mmCIF file of all heavy atoms in Angstrom:
data_model
loop_
_atom_site.group_PDB
_atom_site.id
_atom_site.type_symbol
_atom_site.label_atom_id
_atom_site.label_comp_id
_atom_site.label_asym_id
_atom_site.label_seq_id
_atom_site.Cartn_x
_atom_site.Cartn_y
_atom_site.Cartn_z
ATOM 1 N N ILE A 13 -9.449 6.233 11.028
ATOM 2 C CA ILE A 13 -9.516 5.407 12.237
ATOM 3 C C ILE A 13 -8.959 6.132 13.479
ATOM 4 O O ILE A 13 -9.164 5.594 14.552
ATOM 5 C CB ILE A 13 -8.742 4.054 12.107
ATOM 6 C CG1 ILE A 13 -7.253 4.309 11.803
ATOM 7 C CG2 ILE A 13 -9.378 3.183 11.008
ATOM 8 C CD1 ILE A 13 -6.454 3.050 11.880
ATOM 9 N N SER A 14 -8.447 7.266 13.268
ATOM 10 C CA SER A 14 -7.975 8.049 14.443
ATOM 11 C C SER A 14 -9.157 8.646 15.200
ATOM 12 O O SER A 14 -10.178 8.868 14.618
ATOM 13 C CB SER A 14 -7.107 9.248 13.917
ATOM 14 O OG SER A 14 -5.967 8.771 13.246
ATOM 15 N N PRO A 15 -8.948 8.801 16.507
ATOM 16 C CA PRO A 15 -10.083 9.292 17.367
ATOM 17 C C PRO A 15 -10.264 10.814 17.136
ATOM 18 O O PRO A 15 -9.266 11.525 16.846
ATOM 19 C CB PRO A 15 -9.662 9.012 18.754
ATOM 20 C CG PRO A 15 -8.177 8.947 18.738
ATOM 21 C CD PRO A 15 -7.868 8.361 17.373
ATOM 22 N N LEU A 16 -11.471 11.306 17.274
ATOM 23 C CA LEU A 16 -11.827 12.714 17.245
ATOM 24 C C LEU A 16 -12.037 13.117 18.720
ATOM 25 O O LEU A 16 -12.975 12.606 19.361
ATOM 26 C CB LEU A 16 -13.115 12.981 16.437
ATOM 27 C CG LEU A 16 -13.655 14.423 16.582
ATOM 28 C CD1 LEU A 16 -12.663 15.405 16.024
ATOM 29 C CD2 LEU A 16 -14.993 14.469 15.838
ATOM 30 N N ILE A 17 -11.159 13.874 19.240
ATOM 31 C CA ILE A 17 -11.179 14.297 20.651
ATOM 32 C C ILE A 17 -12.066 15.599 20.745
ATOM 33 O O ILE A 17 -11.667 16.631 20.189
ATOM 34 C CB ILE A 17 -9.777 14.542 21.264
ATOM 35 C CG1 ILE A 17 -8.962 13.341 21.085
ATOM 36 C CG2 ILE A 17 -9.856 14.974 22.688
ATOM 37 C CD1 ILE A 17 -7.518 13.556 21.334
ATOM 38 N N THR A 18 -13.194 15.481 21.459
ATOM 39 C CA THR A 18 -14.067 16.559 21.590
ATOM 40 C C THR A 18 -14.930 16.531 22.835
ATOM 41 O O THR A 18 -15.168 15.390 23.305
ATOM 42 C CB THR A 18 -15.049 16.760 20.383
ATOM 43 O OG1 THR A 18 -15.791 17.936 20.522
ATOM 44 C CG2 THR A 18 -15.887 15.528 20.194
ATOM 45 N N ASP A 19 -15.312 17.633 23.337
ATOM 46 C CA ASP A 19 -16.415 17.560 24.424
ATOM 47 C C ASP A 19 -17.640 18.309 23.909
ATOM 48 O O ASP A 19 -18.542 18.654 24.700
ATOM 49 C CB ASP A 19 -15.832 18.265 25.649
ATOM 50 C CG ASP A 19 -15.428 19.720 25.506
ATOM 51 O OD1 ASP A 19 -15.550 20.232 24.402
ATOM 52 O OD2 ASP A 19 -14.983 20.349 26.473
ATOM 53 N N ASP A 20 -17.731 18.563 22.637
ATOM 54 C CA ASP A 20 -18.876 19.159 22.044
ATOM 55 C C ASP A 20 -20.028 18.120 22.023
ATOM 56 O O ASP A 20 -19.910 17.110 21.339
ATOM 57 C CB ASP A 20 -18.538 19.629 20.616
ATOM 58 C CG ASP A 20 -19.688 20.343 19.906
ATOM 59 O OD1 ASP A 20 -20.876 20.140 20.266
ATOM 60 O OD2 ASP A 20 -19.380 21.252 19.071
ATOM 61 N N ARG A 21 -21.099 18.429 22.643
ATOM 62 C CA ARG A 21 -22.209 17.432 22.818
ATOM 63 C C ARG A 21 -22.846 17.087 21.493
ATOM 64 O O ARG A 21 -23.281 15.992 21.321
ATOM 65 C CB ARG A 21 -23.289 18.014 23.760
ATOM 66 C CG ARG A 21 -22.764 18.166 25.118
ATOM 67 C CD ARG A 21 -23.876 18.624 26.077
ATOM 68 N NE ARG A 21 -24.764 17.515 26.182
ATOM 69 C CZ ARG A 21 -25.674 17.425 27.141
ATOM 70 N NH1 ARG A 21 -25.822 18.313 27.958
ATOM 71 N NH2 ARG A 21 -26.436 16.267 27.229
ATOM 72 N N SER A 22 -22.819 18.043 20.508
ATOM 73 C CA SER A 22 -23.461 17.699 19.169
ATOM 74 C C SER A 22 -22.625 16.745 18.473
ATOM 75 O O SER A 22 -23.118 15.958 17.673
ATOM 76 C CB SER A 22 -23.578 18.993 18.425
ATOM 77 O OG SER A 22 -22.374 19.504 18.069
ATOM 78 N N LEU A 23 -21.313 16.590 18.712
ATOM 79 C CA LEU A 23 -20.519 15.622 18.080
ATOM 80 C C LEU A 23 -20.372 14.288 18.849
ATOM 81 O O LEU A 23 -19.851 13.327 18.354
ATOM 82 C CB LEU A 23 -19.051 16.189 17.892
ATOM 83 C CG LEU A 23 -18.968 17.391 16.871
ATOM 84 C CD1 LEU A 23 -17.586 17.920 16.942
ATOM 85 C CD2 LEU A 23 -19.374 16.997 15.530
ATOM 86 N N LEU A 24 -20.801 14.259 20.100
ATOM 87 C CA LEU A 24 -20.687 13.012 20.900
ATOM 88 C C LEU A 24 -21.760 12.036 20.641
ATOM 89 O O LEU A 24 -21.735 10.951 21.074
ATOM 90 C CB LEU A 24 -20.610 13.423 22.428
ATOM 91 C CG LEU A 24 -19.316 14.142 22.855
ATOM 92 C CD1 LEU A 24 -19.485 14.569 24.307
ATOM 93 C CD2 LEU A 24 -18.141 13.246 22.644
ATOM 94 N N ARG A 25 -22.767 12.432 19.897
ATOM 95 C CA ARG A 25 -23.803 11.490 19.524
ATOM 96 C C ARG A 25 -23.245 10.463 18.605
ATOM 97 O O ARG A 25 -22.375 10.730 17.794
ATOM 98 C CB ARG A 25 -25.014 12.154 18.793
ATOM 99 C CG ARG A 25 -25.790 13.057 19.700
ATOM 100 C CD ARG A 25 -26.958 13.647 19.012
ATOM 101 N NE ARG A 25 -27.102 14.984 19.366
ATOM 102 C CZ ARG A 25 -27.114 16.017 18.540
ATOM 103 N NH1 ARG A 25 -27.144 15.846 17.258
ATOM 104 N NH2 ARG A 25 -27.267 17.217 19.043
ATOM 105 N N PRO A 26 -23.649 9.192 18.750
ATOM 106 C CA PRO A 26 -23.112 8.112 17.897
ATOM 107 C C PRO A 26 -23.307 8.416 16.431
ATOM 108 O O PRO A 26 -24.423 8.857 16.094
ATOM 109 C CB PRO A 26 -23.861 6.903 18.302
ATOM 110 C CG PRO A 26 -24.422 7.135 19.726
ATOM 111 C CD PRO A 26 -24.557 8.647 19.768
ATOM 112 N N ARG A 27 -22.271 8.289 15.616
ATOM 113 C CA ARG A 27 -22.411 8.535 14.260
ATOM 114 C C ARG A 27 -22.126 7.302 13.386
ATOM 115 O O ARG A 27 -21.159 6.558 13.728
ATOM 116 C CB ARG A 27 -21.383 9.639 13.848
ATOM 117 C CG ARG A 27 -21.685 10.948 14.455
ATOM 118 C CD ARG A 27 -20.627 11.930 14.044
ATOM 119 N NE ARG A 27 -21.065 13.254 14.336
ATOM 120 C CZ ARG A 27 -21.316 14.172 13.436
ATOM 121 N NH1 ARG A 27 -20.977 13.941 12.178
ATOM 122 N NH2 ARG A 27 -21.849 15.317 13.756
ATOM 123 N N SER A 28 -22.853 7.142 12.417
ATOM 124 C CA SER A 28 -22.637 6.006 11.527
ATOM 125 C C SER A 28 -21.358 6.084 10.836
ATOM 126 O O SER A 28 -21.018 7.131 10.117
ATOM 127 C CB SER A 28 -23.775 5.948 10.536
ATOM 128 O OG SER A 28 -23.546 4.885 9.612
ATOM 129 N N GLY A 29 -20.461 5.077 10.958
ATOM 130 C CA GLY A 29 -19.204 5.060 10.237
ATOM 131 C C GLY A 29 -18.022 5.805 10.919
ATOM 132 O O GLY A 29 -16.994 5.882 10.424
ATOM 133 N N TYR A 30 -18.308 6.434 12.047
ATOM 134 C CA TYR A 30 -17.235 7.121 12.770
ATOM 135 C C TYR A 30 -17.405 6.902 14.204
ATOM 136 O O TYR A 30 -17.889 7.822 14.948
ATOM 137 C CB TYR A 30 -17.257 8.647 12.396
ATOM 138 C CG TYR A 30 -15.854 9.300 12.687
ATOM 139 C CD1 TYR A 30 -14.938 9.407 11.711
ATOM 140 C CD2 TYR A 30 -15.555 9.719 13.917
ATOM 141 C CE1 TYR A 30 -13.692 9.950 11.952
ATOM 142 C CE2 TYR A 30 -14.340 10.348 14.181
ATOM 143 C CZ TYR A 30 -13.358 10.435 13.212
ATOM 144 O OH TYR A 30 -12.199 10.985 13.429
ATOM 145 N N PRO A 31 -17.033 5.774 14.813
ATOM 146 C CA PRO A 31 -17.301 5.438 16.178
ATOM 147 C C PRO A 31 -16.266 6.041 17.169
ATOM 148 O O PRO A 31 -16.513 5.976 18.296
ATOM 149 C CB PRO A 31 -17.190 3.868 16.121
ATOM 150 C CG PRO A 31 -16.150 3.587 15.086
ATOM 151 C CD PRO A 31 -16.446 4.687 13.998
ATOM 152 N N ASN A 32 -15.111 6.526 16.644
ATOM 153 C CA ASN A 32 -14.015 7.019 17.561
ATOM 154 C C ASN A 32 -14.239 8.453 17.936
ATOM 155 O O ASN A 32 -13.270 9.262 17.872
ATOM 156 C CB ASN A 32 -12.784 6.788 16.900
ATOM 157 C CG ASN A 32 -12.451 5.282 16.728
ATOM 158 O OD1 ASN A 32 -12.927 4.518 17.476
ATOM 159 N ND2 ASN A 32 -11.657 4.991 15.651
ATOM 160 N N VAL A 33 -15.392 8.925 18.347
ATOM 161 C CA VAL A 33 -15.635 10.299 18.812
ATOM 162 C C VAL A 33 -15.835 10.264 20.321
ATOM 163 O O VAL A 33 -16.646 9.454 20.782
ATOM 164 C CB VAL A 33 -16.906 10.878 18.118
ATOM 165 C CG1 VAL A 33 -17.124 12.307 18.625
ATOM 166 C CG2 VAL A 33 -16.748 10.928 16.615
ATOM 167 N N GLY A 34 -15.158 11.098 21.072
ATOM 168 C CA GLY A 34 -15.348 11.106 22.483
ATOM 169 C C GLY A 34 -14.384 11.862 23.237
ATOM 170 O O GLY A 34 -13.534 12.631 22.711
ATOM 171 N N LEU A 35 -14.379 11.664 24.506
ATOM 172 C CA LEU A 35 -13.396 12.312 25.438
ATOM 173 C C LEU A 35 -12.239 11.399 25.712
ATOM 174 O O LEU A 35 -12.487 10.384 26.422
ATOM 175 C CB LEU A 35 -14.107 12.711 26.770
ATOM 176 C CG LEU A 35 -15.190 13.639 26.634
ATOM 177 C CD1 LEU A 35 -16.018 13.766 27.946
ATOM 178 C CD2 LEU A 35 -14.764 15.025 26.241
ATOM 179 N N PHE A 36 -11.172 11.519 25.109
ATOM 180 C CA PHE A 36 -10.013 10.646 25.199
ATOM 181 C C PHE A 36 -8.880 11.309 25.959
ATOM 182 O O PHE A 36 -8.780 12.549 25.844
ATOM 183 C CB PHE A 36 -9.537 10.142 23.844
ATOM 184 C CG PHE A 36 -10.503 9.442 23.024
ATOM 185 C CD1 PHE A 36 -11.260 10.076 22.018
ATOM 186 C CD2 PHE A 36 -10.756 8.065 23.258
ATOM 187 C CE1 PHE A 36 -12.205 9.337 21.291
ATOM 188 C CE2 PHE A 36 -11.723 7.416 22.518
ATOM 189 C CZ PHE A 36 -12.400 8.056 21.532
ATOM 190 N N ASN A 37 -8.087 10.625 26.681
ATOM 191 C CA ASN A 37 -6.917 11.165 27.279
ATOM 192 C C ASN A 37 -5.682 10.596 26.562
ATOM 193 O O ASN A 37 -5.208 9.601 26.935
ATOM 194 C CB ASN A 37 -6.872 10.816 28.793
ATOM 195 C CG ASN A 37 -7.971 11.503 29.563
ATOM 196 O OD1 ASN A 37 -8.287 12.644 29.376
ATOM 197 N ND2 ASN A 37 -8.576 10.780 30.474
ATOM 198 N N ILE A 38 -5.261 11.320 25.582
ATOM 199 C CA ILE A 38 -4.204 10.881 24.684
ATOM 200 C C ILE A 38 -2.994 11.821 24.891
ATOM 201 O O ILE A 38 -3.126 13.084 24.672
ATOM 202 C CB ILE A 38 -4.568 10.844 23.261
ATOM 203 C CG1 ILE A 38 -5.717 9.775 23.054
ATOM 204 C CG2 ILE A 38 -3.370 10.388 22.360
ATOM 205 C CD1 ILE A 38 -6.341 9.741 21.658
ATOM 206 N N ALA A 39 -1.833 11.366 25.399
ATOM 207 C CA ALA A 39 -0.739 12.187 25.553
ATOM 208 C C ALA A 39 -0.283 12.914 24.293
ATOM 209 O O ALA A 39 -0.193 12.339 23.255
ATOM 210 C CB ALA A 39 0.472 11.304 26.134
ATOM 211 N N GLY A 40 -0.074 14.191 24.431
ATOM 212 C CA GLY A 40 0.297 15.011 23.314
ATOM 213 C C GLY A 40 -0.923 15.581 22.536
ATOM 214 O O GLY A 40 -0.653 16.500 21.757
#
Side-chain angles (χ1 to χ4, degrees):
I13 61 170
S14 299
L16 171 63
I17 301 170
T18 184
D19 60 359
D20 185 332
R21 295 184 71 164
S22 65
L23 294 174
L24 290 174
R25 290 186 221 125
R27 292 175 165 245
S28 176
Y30 201 92
N32 296 331
V33 177
L35 299 169
F36 299 99
N37 292 320
I38 300 173

